Structures are given as structure tokens and as C-alpha cells.
Amino acid sequence: MIPADDLRRAVLAVWAILSVAILAGGLLLWLLPPQAVFAVSQALQTPHPDAPCALCGMTGAFVAIARGDFATAARLNPDALRLFSTLAGNSLIFLGYALYAGCRWFGRRKPAP
């Protein structure tokens, strides 16, 4: 049986890693030109000839959301606004937690004599 404290730390570490990756990906939507975002998307795309997947159109929709064009995003993938909001909400919660944990950690440190 895994001790509860170890499990909590492991889940927190995985959440932190995923949240940093989500934040980095989100920042790239604003920092890179859309052509670069689409080039990365094409390089990572896996073929699925049978039927369109749930993520089809998501890259274009996320680029549209980053530009503030929510109508185009909804047209490209109806679930994009929901997923983007969920990822953005997770990022805000993570940043708040990281700030809180950082303040607690620095508050516990003893000043140098």
C-alpha cells in the first residue's frame, strides 16, 4: 500500500508537470505566428482515416481563441471553447497554488545570520 503522503506528492508532481506544459503551450499560441503553430500541429498529427477525431480542428480553434475570434473557434471545433476554458482554469488554479506554496515555503525559511 502506498502511503497517503507519497501518493499526494506524486499526484501533485504530475499535476505540476502537466500544468507547466499546458501553460507553455498556451503561451506559444500568443508568441508564435499561426503558421508556426500549424506546422507543429502537422508534425505531431497522427493519421486517422476512418473518421474525424474529437480534436480535429482544435489547433485552428485554439489559434482563433488566442486572436479573440470565438465564432471561428466554435465553427472549427464546437468543444474548443470548453476545453480551452478548462485548460485556462487549470492554469489559473495551478498558478495560484504555486504562488501560495512558494510564499509558504519562503516564509518557513530561516533568515541567514
Side-chain angles (χ1 to χ4, degrees), residues 20-34:
V20 168
I22 290 167
L23 279 167
L27 287 175
L28 290 178
L29 288 172
W30 279 277
L31 296 176
L32 295 177

Side-chain angles (χ1 to χ4, degrees), residues 54-100:
L55 297 178
C56 283
M58 196 65 74
T59 302
F62 273 33
V63 168
I65 291 170
R67 288 191 325 242
D69 188 359
F70 301 109
T72 300
R75 183 179 51 76
L76 291 172
N77 189 319
D79 295 326
L81 292 170
R82 202 171 335 172
L83 180 59
F84 192 90
S85 298
T86 301
L87 295 175
N90 175 75
S91 296
L92 290 174
I93 292 168
F94 172 72
L95 288 173
Y97 176 79
L99 182 63
Y100 168 76

